[in-house]
Amino acid sequence: MNELSQSLKKMKIKGDKESILQFLREVMRLLPPSDDFGITITKKGVHEYVLDRQGIVVISLSEDEFLPYFSANHKRIDIDKVPDDVLKEVKEKWKEILDQLRDYAIEYSKLDKKFLKVADEVNGVIFENL
């Protein structure tokens, strides 16, 4: 958990692309081992950027012109290819990202009790950096 805290502090001080990417990598490392969890980083128009254990997924939603249905497409992008404006939002929304990580760890702890400790430590990182 020390790595998460250090990467967060570095990101808040430097705010450069590399420090933000390192923070995202630390968050990825702590996500529960399930495809059911993805942290919403931001929404830009019809695109939603989601961080999961494998990296970044861009989900594009569109409403059908003639039917009242939404359709979604997704595309996986390399974490190094995340647009700069999205990375800027990571720096601003770090608490929301860690809140989601903590909540997922609590939820997954029903299957694996060690994730209660992860949730507690993420909470500590949040309070330490407010």
Side-chain angles (χ1 to χ4, degrees):
M1 200 56 60
N2 191 35
E3 294 88 4
L4 178 64
S5 181
Q6 293 300 324
S7 67
L8 176 58
K9 287 177 183 174
K10 185 177 179 182
M11 178 184 72
K12 287 173 72 177
I13 292 169
K14 289 181 80 176
D16 64 340
K17 183 175 184 173
E18 189 52 44
S19 65
I20 296 170
L21 291 175
Q22 184 57 40
F23 172 73
L24 290 175
R25 287 184 187 104
E26 290 301 325
V27 171
M28 282 172 48
R29 190 178 60 78
L30 295 170
L31 278 166
S34 172
D35 292 336
D36 295 333
F37 300 104
I39 295 175
T40 299
I41 294 176
T42 192
K43 294 179 182 179
K44 295 280 186 187
V46 297
H47 305 293
E48 181 174 345
Y49 291 81
V50 177
L51 179 71
D52 65 11
R53 290 184 62 83
Q54 298 173 14
I56 300 286
V57 177
V58 181
I59 301 170
S60 301
L61 294 173
S62 61
E63 189 173 358
D64 191 297
E65 187 175 338
F66 301 106
L67 299 171
Y69 298 108
F70 282 101
S71 62
N73 297 314
H74 70 281
K75 180 174 91 170
R76 186 161 294 281
I77 62 172
D78 188 46
I79 195 165
D80 296 330
K81 304 287 189 237
V82 175
D84 290 341
D85 58 331
V86 173
L87 292 178
K88 183 180 176 188
E89 290 205 31
V90 170
K91 184 181 176 198
E92 295 169 6
K93 295 181 175 183
W94 65 268
K95 184 181 178 304
E96 293 173 30
I97 292 168
L98 292 183
D99 284 342
Q100 289 179 70
L101 176 61
R102 180 203 53 223
D103 294 346
Y104 289 149
I106 290 170
E107 187 175 332
Y108 194 76
S109 70
K110 296 171 187 169
L111 300 173
D112 185 348
K113 295 294 181 203
K114 76 176 183 180
F115 276 88
L116 276 177
K117 183 179 181 195
V118 172
D120 187 47
E121 289 176 350
V122 169
N123 224 20
V125 170
I126 292 169
F127 287 128
E128 174 181 301
N129 287 280
L130 287 177

